[in-house]
Amino acid sequence: KSVDLHPTEPWMVASLYNGSVCVWNHETQTLVKTFEVCDLPVRVAKFVARKHWVIAGADDMQIRVFNYNTLERAHMFEAHSDYIRCIAVHPTQPYILTSSDDMLIKLWDWDRKWVCGQVFEGHTHYVMQIVINPKDNNQFASASLDRTIKVWQLGSSSPNFTLEGHEKGVNCIDYYSGGDKPYLISGADDRLVKIWDYQNKTCVQTLEGHTQNVSCVSFHPELPIILTGSEDGTVRVWHSSTYRLENTLNYGMERVWCVCGQRGANSVALGYDEGSIIIKLGREEPAMSMDSNGKIMWAKHSEVQQANLKAMGEAEIQDGERLSLAVKDMGSCEIYPQTIQHNPNGRFVVVCGDGEYIIYTAMALRNKSFGSAQEFVWGHDSSEYATRESSSMVKVFKNFKENKYFKPDFGAEGIHGGFLLGVRSVSGLAFYDWENTELVRRIEIQPKHVFWSESGELVCIATEESFFVLRYLAEKVATAQETKEGVTEDGIEDAFEVLGEIQEVVKTGLWVGDCFIYTSSVNRLNYYVGGEIVTVAHLDRTMYLLGYIPKDDRLYLGDKELNIVTYSLLVSVLEYQTAVMRRDFGMADRVLPTIPKEMRTRVAHFLEKQGFMQQALAVSTDSEHRFELALQLGELKIAYQLAVEAESEQKWKQLAELATTKCQFVLAQECLHHAQDYGGLLLLATASGNTTMVGKLAEGAERDGKTNVAFLTYFLQGKLDKCLELLIKTNRLPEAAFLARTYLPSHVSRVVKLWKESLGKVNQKAADALANPTDYSNLFPGLQDAFLAEDYLKETHVRLRPAAEYPLITVSRYTHILGTFLCGDALDRQEWDNIPQATINSLINSM
Ligand SMILES: *[C@@H]1O[C@H](CO)[C@@H](O)[C@H](O)[C@H]1NC(C)=O
Ligand SMILES: *[C@@H]1O[C@H](CO)[C@@H](O)[C@H](O)[C@H]1NC(C)=O
Ligand SMILES: *[C@@H]1O[C@H](CO)[C@@H](O)[C@H](O)[C@H]1NC(C)=O
Ligand SMILES: *[C@@H]1O[C@H](CO)[C@@H](O)[C@H](O)[C@H]1NC(C)=O
Ligand SMILES: *[C@@H]1O[C@H](CO)[C@@H](O)[C@H](O)[C@H]1NC(C)=O
Ligand SMILES: *[C@@H]1O[C@H](CO)[C@@H](O)[C@H](O)[C@H]1NC(C)=O
């Protein structure tokens, strides 16, 4: 029975004949909430966004107010003595107006406990609809089955005047909100739609066409159209100034009951017997264009206005904030502009709409040329443009004169301007030469947009799902055109090279050098360069790129409400990245000094991703990043310097690893020391057989309390005394006792004594159970022999066998010599003399 759109959320509320009120999310097409209002038809439900309410009026004569967040009913009252037909919410005051089959209209004040502030009496039949005048909120109009329309003033209970003319009951009414026309529109059971001038109170137009009762009418709040719905099941779209029938929509969902447009949007909700539909009308994008000097032109309905960024002065500009710009009226346009586009040099603007185009001078908005066209695009050169006449014909102009026209092989569903002329058809996108309209290349793709870089070397083709970046190979094209080689029915095969595909939907875009800047469907402001995506900003709403002004280091964007915002983006960074992409490091080096220090690291990351590590290391100012790069590049000196500055154990460890792989053991040793990595040092010292190092390590480790490493190191060196003292010092007395028992029996007694003392503090009984060999030598058989062995081995057992000696020892050979000798054979004197004394000792010991 009714639909209403929420002003900010993507919601539609529908009130149903079966007594339910449903809130749908029209973006996700899901049911958000349902209110079971009553068993009778609910003929109207409206949002009151500022109170988070849905207000419903039903055939039980009750008005119900729901909070759509909590789903609670905030209020309910009997408003009329018959069915409630309509609710109108006042845009600023805390009022609603209700109309009913009881022939009355009532005003309710929610700030005064929903008191009925006023009753409007005058109609002699059901009051079907009421609307508040958007240009004068004190005035409203009503439509009644008594065949009249009445206009009322808040504060006056009788109508100001009555409009008569319909021959049957009037179902619906709406005010014209755009421009200066004092118009009302009405629809009635006489199947007619009438447009009224409410100042001189005359009917200015009657729209005929519906074949059944007209149930709803609407002046679209943004577009120059009138929408009417009828019990004949159709919605008709009429031009609001010529009154020509533009379109008839029939979705086969039985009778139409309501149509609801929305200010600042092009969605329209339609309510039918069998469901609701949301349609989008016209272009999403505002008619807006900026030239390279920062002059922005836009259309407000058919009025053209200009704002100049240069006139803004030196005021501090914040990223993402609306700019306050002085706006100049340029005059009105003969057509309703759907698009406005500056030509490349900014001297002309073209305005398109209603199947026509007009080219104006940008300065004074004087018309220069015009014609009929479905679409218009500028060429690369400022003197060229093309128009699409129909779905089969494209015309190319030069210096405002028609130069060529042609019928593309597969038709023309759309055209795209830029370095080459793009023509879209069912078979894909075909690029043509502007001069001779010859086919350059056909690509199997269905583009939404085509963006050429200024140099004409790069092009971005954006589709519904992703975008492609291609390089245009002009030289190959020239060669092929000359030699006719590699030319097929799809054009020149080698004309393009694909550089990348990104899974993002581009809404608007532009090139600065080799950087492609764009807004995406998820409201990001990004740029693409060399396969990388850099996010400039997250936008809080849909914005459209207008242009980039290098002098300001700023991007400018506009939204549907014609607000302008800006984001900073340094031209030096873009230039640098462009130079890198072109492998022009001379240029890059010249640009680098202009890049502020704080941006250097970002640039360095870019270089790194492009594989230019050495350059990245030179450019980066972030020590973490530089250290990473130095490691990857094996730049030990730089990495060392950075590790010294950072004093971080982690860095020393990483550097130690690198030094080890590079066989820089001295450096590795130093790094491990800095990193306090004793385990690593031990490994390095033993593996490399550096006695000095092992010695130093033992002392260092003990000093720093790394007792495990210290113990092992002493043990390796055969310094058993040190091992024992270490265990005692660290209170590992049982272990000390066992070590003594094993290697140093002369110390057993002393250690056991210490052990007993210590254990006695916690468990005297256990302490008493420990036997000291001094007192119980009977319990330690062979102890005396052990003492002797210890004494004897003191001299010989501890064998320091530095790796340096290894070349001098070839045990197997000497063993053999010695073996022969022991078996009583004659000793080869000469060989024997060559055996070092240490080896002989050790060989004897080993026997
Ligand atoms: C009314 O109809 C809607 C849509 O068919 C349905 O979701 C809802 O449950 C119905 N309500 C009642 C009270 O039957
Ligand atoms: C409507 O009536 C009010 C109060 O009676 C009056 O002030 C106003 O001028 C009238 N407006 C028109 C358009 O007649
Ligand atoms: C009323 O005004 C409209 C313009 O809005 C004009 O076309 C029409 O002729 C006028 N009618 C009378 C009777 O003055
Ligand atoms: C159109 O309105 C008349 C009342 O004027 C009503 O009797 C008739 O049923 C309506 N037509 C349809 C198709 O509902
Ligand atoms: C172009 O301008 C001339 C004179 O200013 C005017 O007469 C004409 O109607 C205009 N034509 C278009 C299509 O704007
Ligand atoms: C052994 O380590 C010491 C430092 O502990 C170092 O000075 C010396 O150069 C190292 N010797 C070898 C052969 O690497």
Side-chain angles (χ1 to χ4, degrees):
K1 293 274 106 184
S2 88
V3 288
D4 190 29
L5 292 170
H6 195 281
T8 51
E9 301 288 343
W11 292 346
M12 174 189 76
V13 62
S15 73
L16 309 182
Y17 194 84
N18 73 3
S20 293
V21 168
C22 303
V23 178
W24 293 85
N25 181 322
H26 54 77
E27 274 174 11
T28 59
Q29 312 205 350
T30 49
L31 187 59
V32 181
K33 13 209 144 206
T34 313
F35 304 95
E36 303 295 344
V37 175
C38 62
D39 298 336
L40 297 169
V42 185
R43 292 186 197 269
V44 60
K46 287 273 168 82
F47 282 117
V48 185
R50 60 194 193 271
K51 302 293 286 182
H52 310 294
W53 284 341
V54 166
I55 303 186
D59 283 2
D60 64 359
M61 300 168 262
Q62 302 285 332
I63 290 284
R64 289 176 179 81
V65 183
F66 299 96
N67 181 309
Y68 56 61
N69 289 334
T70 63
L71 301 180
E72 273 166 21
R73 196 171 67 200
H75 197 61
M76 169 168 155
F77 59 97
E78 185 164 318
H80 288 275
S81 58
D82 208 335
Y83 297 172
I84 296 166
R85 292 282 174 177
C86 182
I87 297 173
V89 182
H90 196 281
T92 53
Q93 300 286 337
Y95 303 153
I96 61 165
L97 289 163
T98 57
S99 75
S100 161
D101 288 359
D102 67 7
M103 303 187 275
L104 299 179
I105 299 164
K106 293 184 181 179
L107 179 142
W108 309 90
D109 183 340
W110 69 67
D111 272 359
R112 291 197 296 139
K113 299 187 170 165
W114 291 97
V115 75
C116 175
Q118 209 176 345
V119 178
F120 302 88
E121 227 170 318
H123 280 301
T124 57
H125 207 310
Y126 302 169
V127 187
M128 302 299 285
Q129 196 179 4
I130 39 183
V131 266
I132 295 171
N133 186 342
K135 288 178 213 148
D136 172 5
N137 297 163
N138 269 324
Q139 194 191 66
F140 70 93
S142 57
S144 166
L145 292 192
D146 67 10
R147 306 177 181 187
T148 70
I149 295 152
K150 288 183 190 294
V151 174
W152 312 74
Q153 205 74 25
L154 293 185
S156 163
S157 63
S158 53
N160 268 44
F161 55 86
T162 301
L163 301 173
E164 288 177 73
H166 280 296
E167 292 187 352
K168 285 193 178 168
V170 188
N171 292 314
C172 46
I173 182 121
D174 196 18
Y175 275 99
Y176 178 55
S177 55
D180 47 8
K181 292 174 191 160
Y183 285 0
L184 269 169
I185 182 173
S186 61
D189 284 345
D190 59 10
R191 303 172 184 182
L192 299 177
V193 172
K194 284 181 181 287
I195 293 157
W196 309 81
D197 181 315
Y198 59 77
Q199 266 163 9
N200 64 18
K201 304 180 183 63
T202 52
C203 172
V204 292
Q205 190 78 28
T206 300
L207 309 180
E208 291 177 45
H210 281 298
T211 58
Q212 264 304 337
N213 303 348
V214 178
S215 46
C216 47
V217 289
S218 167
F219 271 113
H220 193 280
E222 298 296 327
L223 301 169
I225 54 169
I226 293 166
L227 293 147
T228 60
S230 156
E231 292 181 26
D232 66 13
T234 67
V235 170
R236 287 170 194 247
V237 185
W238 318 75
H239 197 287
S240 67
S241 15
T242 64
Y243 305 118
R244 189 174 63 198
L245 177 66
E246 301 277 354
N247 210 337
T248 301
L249 309 173
N250 190 342
Y251 293 104
M253 295 180 77
E254 301 298 327
R255 294 172 296 182
V256 187
W257 292 115
C258 43
V259 36
C260 173
Q262 202 181 10
R263 187 150 269 287
N266 51 3
S267 307
V268 172
L270 308 173
Y272 291 85
D273 272 335
E274 301 203 331
S276 307
I277 287 182
I278 301 234
I279 55 173
K280 287 215 179 210
L281 289 168
R283 277 166 55 86
E284 283 274 297
E285 233 173 287
M288 226 179 190
S289 175
M290 182 173 97
D291 72 7
S292 55
N293 293 317
K295 281 199 182 124
I296 304 170
M297 211 180 260
W298 63 64
K300 252 196 176 146
H301 298 284
S302 51
E303 302 305 312
V304 178
Q305 296 181 325
Q306 193 188 59
N308 191 348
L309 293 174
K310 268 197 200 148
M312 242 181 346
E314 295 299 303
E316 185 83 358
I317 300 174
Q318 293 287 324
D319 275 4
E321 263 178 32
R322 292 189 172 89
L323 302 179
S324 62
L325 297 168
V327 174
K328 189 168 96 182
D329 283 318
M330 300 289 287
S332 79
C333 186
E334 288 85 346
I335 56 179
Y336 187 93
Q338 289 276 306
T339 63
I340 295 185
Q341 242 182 300
H342 280 92
N343 75 336
N345 69 18
R347 287 186 55 213
F348 297 101
V349 280
V350 65
V351 171
C352 300
D354 300 343
E356 285 172 67
Y357 71 91
I358 307 176
I359 300 174
Y360 293 102
T361 59
M363 288 285 273
L365 211 70
R366 259 197 296 276
N367 70 35
K368 175 85 183 157
S369 185
F370 57 90
S372 63
Q374 299 295 317
E375 245 182 306
F376 178 108
V377 292
W378 290 108
H380 178 66
D381 171 341
S382 283
S383 66
E384 286 164 337
Y385 58 88
T387 61
R388 188 170 65 86
E389 291 273 294
S390 62
S391 58
S392 62
M393 169 83 86
V394 176
K395 280 185 180 170
V396 179
F397 295 78
K398 192 153 179 105
N399 296 320
F400 305 102
K401 286 195 199 71
E402 192 179 316
N403 191 30
K404 277 221 154 73
Y405 69 88
F406 67 111
K407 292 190 167 194
D409 289 345
F410 299 92
E413 285 175 4
I415 51 175
H416 302 275
F419 195 75
L420 295 176
L421 171 59
V423 178
R424 192 176 73 241
S425 71
V426 281
S427 82
L429 172 66
F431 284 114
Y432 294 89
D433 190 308
W434 279 96
E435 272 310 313
N436 53 25
T437 65
E438 268 177 26
L439 177 68
V440 176
R441 185 81 174 104
R442 196 188 321 279
I443 301 173
E444 260 184 55
I445 194 168
Q446 287 297 325
K448 283 206 74 175
H449 308 282
V450 175
F451 306 96
W452 282 90
S453 73
E454 205 177 340
S455 66
E457 280 172 46
L458 296 168
V459 61
C460 166
I461 303 178
T463 72
E464 297 275 7
E465 290 98 36
S466 63
F467 69 87
F468 295 84
V469 175
L470 284 74
R471 186 187 301 284
Y472 177 58
L473 306 168
E475 280 172 22
K476 292 206 171 166
V477 170
T479 314
Q481 278 168 342
E482 225 167 77
T483 61
K484 306 283 172 214
E485 266 172 42
V487 184
T488 68
E489 59 180 11
D490 284 336
I492 297 154
E493 277 175 345
D494 294 339
F496 290 95
E497 171 194 4
V498 180
L499 299 182
E501 179 187 359
I502 303 288
Q503 296 294 332
E504 268 198 287
V505 181
V506 172
K507 284 249 166 178
T508 53
L510 56 91
W511 288 88
V512 177
D514 287 3
C515 306
F516 178 63
I517 305 168
Y518 63 94
T519 57
S520 75
S521 57
V522 292
N523 291 337
R524 293 260 168 89
L525 176 58
N526 288 348
Y527 72 90
Y528 167 100
V529 58
E532 300 298 324
I533 303 287
V534 180
T535 297
V536 179
H538 293 253
L539 307 171
D540 58 1
R541 59 191 189 283
T542 305
M543 303 282 273
Y544 305 90
L545 267 174
L546 288 171
Y548 180 72
I549 308 256
K551 194 169 52 59
D552 302 354
D553 286 317
R554 288 196 162 274
L555 275 168
Y556 294 91
L557 298 94
D559 67 10
K560 272 184 100 64
E561 280 80 42
L562 307 175
N563 298 301
I564 309 294
V565 302
T566 167
Y567 286 91
S568 77
L569 182 57
L570 295 179
V571 69
S572 51
V573 173
L574 299 178
E575 277 178 356
Y576 188 85
Q577 291 179 323
T578 299
V580 170
M581 288 319 297
R582 296 180 183 170
R583 307 288 187 268
D584 182 352
F585 287 102
M587 161 92 167
D589 289 344
R590 281 194 298 283
V591 175
L592 187 62
T594 64
I595 298 179
K597 288 267 186 297
E598 64 274 15
M599 298 297 288
R600 298 273 171 97
T601 301
R602 189 160 133 191
V603 170
H605 279 288
F606 171 75
L607 284 165
E608 183 189 352
K609 283 183 184 154
Q610 297 301 318
F612 303 118
M613 311 282 255
Q614 208 73 49
Q615 285 86 344
L617 179 59
V619 169
S620 184
T621 54
D622 172 42
S623 54
E624 292 292 327
H625 186 218
R626 296 192 66 219
F627 184 75
E628 289 298 323
L629 288 167
L631 282 190
Q632 288 179 51
L633 287 165
E635 291 280 359
L636 286 173
K637 273 208 187 102
I638 296 173
Y640 179 81
Q641 200 52 47
L642 288 164
V644 169
E645 283 161 21
E647 288 179 11
S648 120
E649 276 188 18
Q650 182 54 31
K651 284 206 173 54
W652 285 117
K653 271 192 185 143
Q654 283 173 280
L655 187 56
E657 251 173 59
L658 179 65
T660 309
T661 59
K662 295 223 155 215
C663 301
Q664 302 281 327
F665 296 126
V666 178
L667 178 61
Q669 206 183 125
E670 186 186 342
C671 295
L672 290 168
H673 266 294
H674 283 297
Q676 308 228 353
D677 183 353
Y678 290 94
L681 280 168
L682 179 60
L683 192 61
L684 182 62
T686 49
S688 64
N690 185 331
T691 335
T692 335
M693 189 176 164
V694 174
K696 279 171 87 178
L697 173 60
E699 284 155 28
E702 186 177 352
R703 192 182 54 236
D704 295 340
K706 307 285 176 190
T707 41
N708 278 349
V709 171
F711 180 89
L712 263 176
T713 320
Y714 284 138
F715 194 80
L716 275 172
Q717 291 179 297
K719 296 187 176 167
L720 296 167
D721 295 5
K722 291 269 191 188
C723 291
L724 187 66
E725 290 318 310
L726 196 60
L727 290 174
I728 293 169
K729 209 168 89 187
T730 52
N731 214 26
R732 310 298 290 255
L733 294 169
E735 289 89 340
F738 280 100
L739 184 82
R741 179 74 182 88
T742 312
Y743 294 109
L744 303 165
S746 64
H747 293 269
V748 171
S749 177
R750 174 174 69 99
V751 179
V752 170
K753 198 158 161 258
L754 292 171
W755 187 10
K756 277 171 84 87
E757 272 168 29
S758 161
L759 189 60
K761 286 179 197 147
V762 283
N763 188 341
Q764 189 57 50
K765 227 174 148 191
D768 290 344
L770 291 175
N772 193 324
T774 329
D775 307 327
Y776 299 94
S777 55
N778 57 320
L779 294 176
F780 296 87
L783 190 66
Q784 292 309 318
D785 293 340
F787 287 149
L788 290 175
E790 178 189 353
D791 215 30
Y792 166 71
L793 286 170
K794 208 175 257 165
E795 297 299 314
T796 51
H797 177 78
V798 177
R799 276 171 288 154
L800 267 183
R801 181 71 69 227
E805 275 185 17
Y806 271 52
L808 306 176
I809 304 167
T810 315
V811 175
S812 60
R813 199 169 118 230
Y814 299 141
T815 318
H816 172 71
I817 297 164
L818 211 56
T820 357
F821 169 68
L822 288 174
C823 293
D825 288 1
L827 189 69
D828 182 335
R829 226 22 250 194
Q830 211 181 335
E831 286 239 43
W832 181 252
D833 285 346
N834 282 338
I835 302 175
Q837 190 55 48
T839 311
I840 294 171
N841 290 346
S842 96
L843 284 169
I844 289 168
N845 283 334
S846 67
M847 289 168 183

